[in-house]
Amino acid sequence: MDLSDKVAVVTGGSRGIGRVVSQRLAAMGATVIINYVSRSDAAEETVASIQSAGGKAAIVQFDVADAEATQQSFKEILSDHGKIDILVNNAGITRDGLLVKMKEGDWDLVLDTNLKGAFNCMKAVSRSMMKQRSGRIVNITSVIGFTGNAGQANYAAAKAGLVGLTRSAARELATRGITVNGVAPGYIDTDMTKGLSEEVTEKILSEIPLGVMGDAGDVAGAVAYLVSDDARYVTGQFIHVNGGMFMG
Ligand code: NDP
């Protein structure tokens, strides 16, 4: 799986799953553009880890929920690197709460980041991918987008929306040699899941046939496959990386 001469953009590439995806694509030879929104220290650490392993990486800060900033940033990436071959829409957040109590702001923020953010990036990149008649887009959705989850109506709606967005874009872009797929992680050990109580963690683990949490590398492996030549005939699909928690 050789990605030499390929340019990849990973949103939220600075921490957690995005960091390991970035490291994996760089190890496969790609130049990886790492996006983050607020924690420059984490982004710098990720780039340093890639460079010290002999890989190529750069940082671009923007908020994926901001359409104008996203458009402008992709313009700059295209002008600096000449092309974008791979886009991984990974940036995501949670603002959990029961539906009856959920603040409108928490609904909007999660939808704007997790769903509109992916739309903004896909829109910003697809014209250039269409011109070059090739491209790979991978959207990181979630098991929750398929099953729903009490306390995560906003997150589940955004992730389920991402499923529809992925399939529609796959249909629109296929004739231009662009594939659009998704990876749906289950319960992965990152900052996002660190805050869960022992009780909630125990309950989730009891629902996972493999009995353990996944790690970011498990998700990165699926992304690596989808952006490789091995997946050239795969589009509009989802790889579930969840220890058997949901069998789609
Ligand atoms: P983390 O919280 O560890 O990392 C989130 C990343 O997204 C950070 O790099 C963060 O940047 C970036 N980010 C957040 N908001 C924005 C924004 N508005 N614009 C640009 N970047 C942003 O999350 P995970 O690694 O756990 O999750 C990654 C993806 O995987 C998410 O889409 C998540 O929903 C999904 N997922 C995770 C699961 C899990 O169990 N962990 C399960 C299923 C899906 P910064 O550091 O600047 O804040």
Side-chain angles (χ1 to χ4, degrees), residues 58-135:
I59 300 173
V60 178
Q61 188 279 341
F62 60 92
D63 179 351
V64 295
D66 181 337
E68 221 178 289
T70 301
Q71 196 72 39
Q72 186 54 35
S73 300
F74 274 88
K75 238 190 209 169
E76 284 163 21
I77 296 167
L78 282 167
S79 122
D80 289 351
H81 298 274
K83 60 174 186 160
I84 297 169
D85 302 288
I86 296 163
L87 166 65
V88 182
N89 281 309
N90 165 81
I93 56 165
T94 52
R95 290 292 182 278
D96 297 350
L98 293 174
L99 183 67
V100 285
K101 290 192 199 153
M102 189 172 284
K103 294 193 186 90
E104 188 184 348
D106 286 342
W107 171 272
D108 288 344
L109 190 62
V110 169
L111 269 289
D112 283 354
T113 305
N114 298 8
L115 180 56
K116 191 176 146 202
F119 162 73
N120 287 339
C121 294
M122 288 163 78
K123 191 170 171 195
V125 86
S126 40
R127 200 177 299 276
S128 73
M129 282 186 175
M130 284 163 80
K131 267 198 205 142
Q132 74 200 16
R133 302 193 81 81
S134 68

Side-chain angles (χ1 to χ4, degrees), residues 12 14-15 17 37-39 63-64 90 141 155 159 186 188 190:
S14 56
R15 287 192 285 124
I17 291 170
V37 65
S38 58
R39 284 191 41 190
D63 179 351
V64 295
N90 165 81
T141 174
Y155 186 78
K159 293 300 189 179
I188 309 295
T190 68

